[in-house]
Amino acid sequence: MTETFQITREQAEAYEELFVPALFAQWAPLMIDIARVDEGQRVLDVACGTGVVARAAADRVGRTGSVVGLDLNPAMLEVAAGSRSDIEWRQGDAANLPFGDSEFDAVLCQSALFFFPDVDAAVAEMARVVRPDGAVAVQTYASLDDQPGFLELDAVVRRIAAADALQLLDTYWSQGDLSILCKTLSRAGLDIVETRTTLGTAMYGSVENLIETEVKGTPLADRLSDDQVGQIFTESADIFAKFLTAAGELQMPIRAHLVMGRKL
Ligand SMILES: C[S@@+](CC[C@H](N)C(=O)[O-])C[C@H]1O[C@@H](n2cnc3c(N)ncnc32)[C@H](O)[C@@H]1O
């Protein structure tokens, strides 16, 4: 089974409220920057989720530009639409984008490539809808071995949960090889202009908030019983103590790759 990160409306609301500030918001300005998004441009955010990257793009392109956010999941799009009306929200599949050739100046895809069953097909679609010399920028996470905090989380969940929960966690790190990622973009006819490997911080109010965020705003919500969540929390308290700040907040390092290619 391919993981596609499909969640309910309630989970999408938790995703926006908990997960976006904890993890996803920090990459959005980097995506805008690496793709050289500029005033007046037309930009597509593929697998936009609740729209954190699309919103950053809309702020940059201003009133003379336009932004489209596309996602497979209507629940994500409903939450996105509640946040901004100056962005067009479209339901669709990354592997079959409902746009004509060369329609966009920049196409962005954050934290989603690893959910696509056919990554080559999706990147080929991104390359098709961007104009010649336009930018395609993708962001993924480095391999689990390079993620000291999430390696611990993976180990705890591995001890307690069933295979379907683990499969989701494994998916997050499955596009972690930067050279393979570059080759994927090159195969789609994109000339690699810049790569960045960035050490970011996943920020949670507490260990309890980490577990709540990772479960409530993700498909794990349907794959773990309350007992299992309780057990994960009990085991996590000691393990994550080393990531607590003096103020009692949990800050875990997380390494991401960003790649930008230009259409030849
Ligand atoms: C972890 S979320 C990332 C969302 C957003 N880019 C962000 O940074 O917050 C992954 C998103 O990929 C979307 N997705 C998964 N498979 C997809 C596909 N084939 N086409 C479009 N979106 C897809 C999911 O619905 C989900 O919203």
Side-chain angles (χ1 to χ4, degrees):
M1 186 185 91
T2 308
E3 290 288 343
T4 58
F5 204 87
Q6 295 311 289
I7 56 180
T8 64
R9 171 70 195 253
E10 192 187 341
Q11 290 157 3
E13 278 164 9
Y15 177 94
E16 172 67 10
E17 192 188 325
L18 300 170
F19 220 172
V20 169
L23 180 63
F24 299 103
Q26 65 191 304
W27 319 119
L30 306 183
M31 292 292 282
I32 302 307
D33 193 47
I34 200 169
R36 281 75 159 163
V37 174
D38 210 351
E39 216 176 316
Q41 286 191 335
R42 179 160 170 77
V43 177
L44 173 65
D45 178 14
V46 175
C48 63
T50 52
V52 66
V53 174
R55 289 192 290 270
D59 290 343
R60 177 65 64 89
V61 302
R63 283 195 305 181
T64 55
S66 60
V67 177
V68 182
L70 173 131
D71 201 277
L72 198 57
N73 185 352
M76 285 295 210
L77 292 168
E78 278 168 30
V79 176
S83 75
R84 280 286 273 260
S85 57
D86 59 336
I87 296 170
E88 184 187 342
W89 305 104
R90 289 279 292 266
Q91 204 261 334
D93 185 347
N96 185 20
L97 293 173
F99 307 106
D101 296 355
S102 308
E103 264 195 44
F104 295 93
D105 298 296
V107 177
L108 314 173
C109 182
Q110 171 174 296
S111 295
L113 216 58
F114 32 81
F115 294 122
F116 303 156
D118 186 342
V119 177
D120 275 312
V123 176
E125 276 293 86
M126 294 179 211
R128 180 182 67 76
V129 302
V130 81
R131 66 165 164 79
D133 209 35
V136 173
V138 301
Q139 176 268 339
T140 67
Y141 297 98
S143 304
L144 185 59
D145 292 346
D146 269 338
Q147 312 284 8
F150 287 89
L151 198 55
E152 301 273 20
L153 183 66
D154 187 86
V156 178
V157 176
R158 198 165 290 277
R159 281 198 291 280
I160 293 162
D164 58 352
L166 295 169
Q167 183 177 311
L168 174 71
L169 295 185
D170 288 346
T171 304
Y172 294 150
W173 322 109
S174 63
Q175 290 286 325
D177 185 321
L178 182 59
S179 66
I180 293 178
L181 194 56
C182 288
K183 281 183 194 142
T184 305
L185 267 69
S186 299
R187 270 199 302 279
L190 300 164
D191 181 34
I192 306 299
V193 174
E194 187 178 346
T195 69
R196 290 186 204 172
T197 294
T198 306
L199 189 62
T201 308
M203 285 175 287
Y204 307 93
S206 59
V207 177
E208 192 169 19
N209 179 249
L210 158 73
I211 307 302
E212 189 189 15
T213 302
E214 293 290 334
V215 174
K216 276 196 182 164
T218 78
L220 280 185
D222 303 319
R223 302 183 194 179
L224 296 171
S225 67
D226 289 348
D227 276 359
Q228 285 173 316
V229 175
Q231 237 180 306
I232 290 171
F233 174 61
T234 307
E235 288 207 16
S236 296
D238 282 351
I239 293 169
F240 291 102
K242 58 177 171 285
F243 297 114
L244 289 174
T245 65
E249 295 194 338
L250 185 67
Q251 297 196 350
M252 292 205 300
I254 180 158
R255 198 166 268 115
H257 297 311
L258 288 93
V259 180
M260 191 277 261
R262 279 202 187 283
K263 182 162 163 180
L264 293 168

